[in-house]
Amino acid sequence: MTTPERLNELIETASALTEGEVVTHAYSRDFVLPHAGRTGVLITLDNGRDHTRPNTLGPRSLGELNAAIDAALARDDVAAIAVTGKPFILAAGADLSQLGALANRDQAVAIAEIGHAVYDKLHTSKVPTFGLINGLALGGGLELPLHCQYRTVSAAAPAIALPECFLGLLPGWGGAYLLPNLIGADRAVTVIIENALNQNRMLKGPQAFQLGIADAIFEGADFLERSLDWAGQVVAGTITVDRPEPDRGEAWDAAVARGKAIADLKTSGAAPAPYRALELIAAAKTADREAAYTAENEALADLIMSEELRSSLYAFDLVQKRAKKPAGAPDKELARPVTKVGIVGAGLMASQLALLFLRRLQVPVVITDLDQERVDRGLGYVTAEIDKLAGRGRLSPDETNRLKALITGTTERSDFADCDFVIEAVFEELEVKKQVFGELEQHVSETCLLATNTSSLSVSEMAADLAHPERVVGFHFFNPVAVLPLLEVAKAEKTDDATLATALAVAKTLKKNAVLVADETAFVVNRLLLRLMSVIDAAVDEGTPLEVADRALRPLGLPMSPFVLAQLVGPAVVLHVNQSLHDRFGDRFPVSENLRALVAAKRPGVYDWTADGKPYVAETTRALFTVGDRPSTEDQLRERVLAALAEEIGLMLSEQVVAAPMDIDLCLILGAGWPFHLGGVVPYLDREGISEKVLGRRLLPAGAASLPQ
């Protein structure tokens, strides 16, 4: 174990590397233990910031916590030590912003060793220690109470998790050993692997209690008072905590196997973190604590010094910071108020939009379509979804009634006269959309924003014949609307700043992350995905077996394979966008005759599905394809796809479709679910040498999303 002298030296050295750390202070105060009548010390973590900046634990913060624990342990009159956080927040774990400053493996090992050494003092304390989980507790913020001998949790705690594998790390301050030994391997796999790899799913207080992470749960209003009262009863001996012994037989091994299957499904082996975490969970079945901590130190250091983690930190920074302040945005003070929204169309996409605007903006929403039957169908979808939300307890009866009262339908354009924001979601054909905008302009005010949800058509052409083209903007959502957070906001040739500011303000209220893009065919996500699909389709046309082509990108760990994605979107939509891109850019986007045949046959995609959910290519589908005799291997095809993506990104940047390469990555992460370990795509293209091979240069500066050079 780490000696006190070594720990102090490690803290001092690490602190010198992290001068920008926002220090989380450890404030101690004495209290009288109820029922026991003895002295307890309550350590409260607080960085002095509001709730928008949670407590984080860098070297200086851990140094303060270490000093507070030492001071409490040195006193003969202390009968218990409790640790909690500032209101609603225990801690959000390690200070991720400082990890990028670590330039070598020894520094990474030191960070791991410091966390273990400080926390372990709570584990081995001669007096009882209590972790009071009063709110958000993530990563190292949860490992802290795991080291305590007893734990309570607030029923109001909104987010409790070990999310490290989502970021390319693992629970390296004791979590990979302590959690399975506390709640069992299977539940630990759920928290460490399954939840983390399912879009960073969090536990709420009651769920954490049910899993056995905490020994007691109390309501948020008097959580601290009741937790200290409970601690007093434990010290007095009137409460005894009994925990079931984890099953260390075959169930432990089965849990690890389940975790591996989840990691394979989610990452296809492309991200090392979950597999290293599973090795530690497997070892925790028999390892002693000291050996387990040493293994965590080594594994964490390996991951900190991996290219995948640097890409993940870059991606995390994009999502946490850049996504909240769109590059190129005009002054937000120019935004106009939106008090009523109109939606042209009542199909599935339009109805999803209506529900989103209704819930987020809480203003009247009117939908329209060609006839009353279509309008009624759209209204029926919206009200049914509201009822589902109410049935799941997401809406109160008052909220349910209010939302239903705010949605109306019409077949008359004149009912849009008092709208401030109108979005069309009609058939993807330029003349149809131009006609819609032309009709709307006869009724709405001069400043009413006209938005289009087009995925591939020119917004400028849509606005060309209007008297006020400056109020037209692209507002491209991704399906399913309620799930995917990206919104591509496209500035047309004459879009003015007030329109852009209004569109971005609405996007923020909708809780979407907007990226400002130029009005170029298919914007960012669809342009890149269709370039990818064009290469895949061309390879199939040349004779590459469908199954080989669909497996080619598996080593990247994308959320789904190309043909599964095409099936989700629909071959007809893929063909339409592909044709638009071919018309605009020519041979970089060839249109596959086999894709045309698939659409003509009205097939839902390449795959059929077995009764147990496995995809296969039916012979009737295979018979639709006419192929050559020049097949590619998986490796050859993957190389072609990546080269094509690098070329297209280079062209998009030269065309100023977005402000910077980071916006390309932000779009792919938020709009297509591309993984953090790739950094979106640009860091991966750089680190694999593809950018330099195709473009003659890196797309990002060395070290921006990679290890220091």
Side-chain angles (χ1 to χ4, degrees):
M1 287 293 182
T2 306
T3 64
E5 295 77 19
R6 174 170 169 76
L7 176 57
N8 290 332
E9 181 183 332
L10 288 173
I11 291 172
E12 183 177 347
T13 302
S15 295
L17 298 172
T18 55
E19 293 183 2
E21 178 184 347
V22 175
V23 177
T24 295
H25 302 289
Y27 298 109
S28 298
R29 70 175 175 88
D30 290 0
F31 68 97
V32 176
L33 282 159
H35 310 284
R38 300 178 66 190
T39 299
V41 172
L42 176 65
I43 300 172
T44 302
L45 303 179
D46 192 343
N47 62 5
R49 307 293 181 90
D50 65 17
H51 67 281
T52 62
R53 184 59 164 89
N55 297 328
T56 50
L57 299 165
R60 287 180 173 82
S61 305
L62 289 170
E64 288 215 9
L65 176 60
N66 182 56
I69 296 171
D70 281 350
L73 290 174
R75 292 170 53 183
D76 293 332
D77 61 329
V78 171
I81 300 170
V83 182
T84 193
K86 68 182 183 181
F88 315 113
I89 294 169
L90 179 51
D95 187 348
L96 295 178
S97 66
Q98 304 299 323
L99 288 184
L102 302 180
N104 61 61
R105 196 174 183 283
D106 287 344
Q107 294 171 355
V109 170
I111 293 296
E113 190 176 343
I114 290 168
H116 278 128
V118 174
Y119 284 8
D120 197 53
K121 293 180 179 183
L122 295 168
H123 193 106
T124 59
S125 167
K126 64 182 183 292
V127 298
T129 55
F130 297 83
L132 313 183
I133 307 171
N134 64 310
L136 179 142
L138 305 178
L142 178 57
E143 287 172 299
L144 174 58
L146 285 178
H147 279 268
C148 293
Q149 297 160 16
Y150 303 94
R151 284 159 296 281
T152 66
V153 66
S154 168
I160 297 170
L162 293 174
E164 287 89 347
C165 288
F166 173 74
L167 295 169
L169 290 166
L170 50 75
W173 285 348
Y177 174 78
L178 294 173
L179 191 64
N181 279 295
L182 175 67
I183 64 175
D186 194 63
R187 289 180 169 186
V189 163
T190 296
V191 175
I192 295 171
I193 306 296
E194 186 173 13
N195 287 358
L197 298 185
N198 274 290
Q199 295 300 309
N200 204 13
R201 184 186 296 156
M202 305 281 172
L203 301 170
K204 296 186 184 301
Q207 295 171 306
F209 174 67
Q210 289 163 9
L211 284 174
I213 292 174
D215 303 305
I217 184 169
F218 303 113
E219 292 301 321
D222 56 355
F223 170 73
L224 182 58
E225 179 184 356
R226 294 192 62 190
S227 291
L228 295 179
D229 183 86
W230 183 84
Q233 293 182 68
V234 171
V235 173
T238 57
I239 286 180
T240 302
V241 175
D242 293 316
R243 304 185 186 111
E245 180 65 23
D247 185 335
R248 299 183 185 279
E250 293 181 3
W252 195 291
D253 300 329
V256 173
R258 183 174 76 87
K260 184 178 183 303
I262 293 167
D264 289 345
L265 178 66
K266 293 294 183 179
T267 74
S268 299
Y275 299 97
R276 294 298 298 270
L278 285 165
E279 290 173 9
L280 294 174
I281 293 171
K285 178 180 178 181
T286 56
D288 62 55
R289 198 170 77 256
E290 185 171 355
Y293 290 177
T294 299
E296 285 185 4
N297 290 345
E298 297 299 317
L300 188 61
D302 287 346
L303 292 173
I304 288 174
M305 299 311 296
S306 71
E307 294 285 2
E308 288 86 358
L309 177 69
R310 301 309 166 114
S311 292
S312 289
L313 294 176
Y314 159 86
F316 184 74
D317 190 65
L318 292 183
V319 170
Q320 292 297 310
K321 295 178 183 177
R322 192 175 183 90
K324 293 173 172 55
K325 295 180 179 179
D331 186 348
K332 61 184 179 182
E333 297 301 321
L334 295 172
R336 295 186 288 261
V338 173
T339 60
K340 183 177 180 180
V341 172
I343 296 175
V344 182
L348 180 58
M349 175 57 84
S351 298
Q352 289 183 71
L353 293 179
L355 181 65
L356 179 68
F357 277 88
L358 200 62
R359 291 191 65 203
R360 300 298 186 211
L361 268 63
Q362 301 273 313
V363 299
V365 174
V366 56
I367 64 173
T368 187
D369 214 313
L370 296 174
D371 55 56
Q372 192 62 44
E373 183 181 350
R374 287 184 174 90
V375 171
D376 290 343
R377 199 156 49 233
L379 289 173
Y381 171 89
V382 174
T383 55
E385 290 299 308
I386 291 171
D387 285 337
K388 288 180 186 176
L389 290 167
R392 295 199 293 266
R394 302 275 298 278
L395 295 173
S396 69
D398 285 346
E399 290 171 323
T400 301
N401 292 333
R402 183 167 67 252
L403 291 182
K404 287 183 178 180
L406 288 172
I407 182 77
T408 57
T410 183
T411 57
E412 300 296 328
R413 295 280 196 265
S414 57
D415 290 332
F416 283 65
D418 54 348
C419 288
D420 306 300
F421 187 109
V422 179
I423 183 168
E424 67 76 23
V426 299
F427 187 67
E428 189 76 348
E429 187 174 303
L430 183 61
E431 291 306 315
V432 173
K433 293 179 183 289
K434 289 182 72 170
Q435 179 184 346
V436 166
F437 279 166
E439 292 172 357
L440 284 169
E441 197 169 44
Q442 305 305 310
H443 300 284
V444 299
S445 71
E446 294 180 2
T447 58
C448 174
L449 188 151
L450 299 181
T452 171
N453 187 44
T454 184
S455 59
S456 62
L457 301 176
S458 168
V459 182
S460 298
E461 287 185 41
M462 250 177 258
D465 299 334
L466 298 178
H468 293 284
E470 71 279 358
R471 41 87 168 272
V472 178
V473 67
F475 214 61
H476 181 222
F477 290 87
F478 290 81
N479 208 2
V481 169
V483 175
L484 290 174
L486 179 66
L487 213 168
E488 291 176 325
V489 176
K491 180 181 181 181
E493 183 181 337
K494 296 184 178 179
T495 306
D496 64 20
D497 283 352
T499 296
L500 275 184
T502 304
L504 293 171
V506 169
K508 185 175 183 179
T509 307
L510 293 173
K511 297 187 178 179
K512 297 296 181 184
N513 296 122
V515 174
L516 199 57
V517 301
D519 179 26
E520 185 54 273
T521 306
F523 310 130
V524 175
V525 176
N526 283 343
R527 180 167 167 179
L528 288 175
L529 292 183
L530 263 295
R531 185 73 198 270
L532 180 157
M533 282 302 308
S534 292
V535 177
I536 297 286
D537 287 344
V540 171
D541 295 349
E542 293 162 4
T544 304
L546 288 162
E547 295 85 354
V548 171
D550 207 29
R551 287 196 304 265
L553 301 184
R554 184 175 292 175
L556 301 184
L558 299 180
M560 61 187 74
S561 70
F563 290 143
V564 171
L565 175 62
Q567 194 139 348
L568 178 67
V569 174
V573 174
V574 173
L575 178 60
H576 173 80
V577 180
N578 196 166
Q579 186 65 58
S580 296
L581 285 160
H582 177 75
D583 294 344
R584 176 70 178 90
F585 298 117
D587 290 342
R588 293 206 316 277
F589 292 89
V591 181
S592 166
E593 292 303 317
N594 286 324
L595 176 59
R596 293 189 197 278
L598 199 67
V599 174
K602 297 184 178 178
R603 294 289 299 145
V606 164
Y607 290 124
D608 283 272
W609 305 84
T610 64
D612 58 352
K614 294 182 179 178
Y616 70 96
V617 181
E619 289 307 314
T620 52
T621 301
R622 208 179 292 275
L624 295 171
F625 283 69
T626 303
V627 300
D629 58 0
R630 293 180 293 113
S632 295
T633 65
E634 291 177 26
D635 290 344
Q636 289 169 336
L637 181 49
R638 183 167 58 256
E639 186 175 331
R640 287 170 60 183
V641 167
L642 293 171
L645 289 174
E647 180 189 28
E648 203 62 35
I649 289 168
L651 290 166
M652 292 166 73
L653 292 172
S654 67
E655 296 163 8
Q656 296 184 314
V657 174
V658 290
M662 293 81 79
D663 296 311
I664 298 280
D665 290 320
L666 196 53
C667 285
L668 287 175
I669 293 165
L670 298 178
W674 281 36
F676 273 31
H677 69 259
L678 297 180
V681 69
V682 171
Y684 182 80
L685 296 175
D686 280 351
R687 78 172 183 244
E688 294 297 313
I690 297 164
S691 304
E692 290 189 73
K693 182 178 179 181
V694 175
L695 303 173
R697 70 184 193 281
R698 293 176 63 95
L699 290 163
L700 291 169
S706 57
L707 288 166
Q709 298 299 304

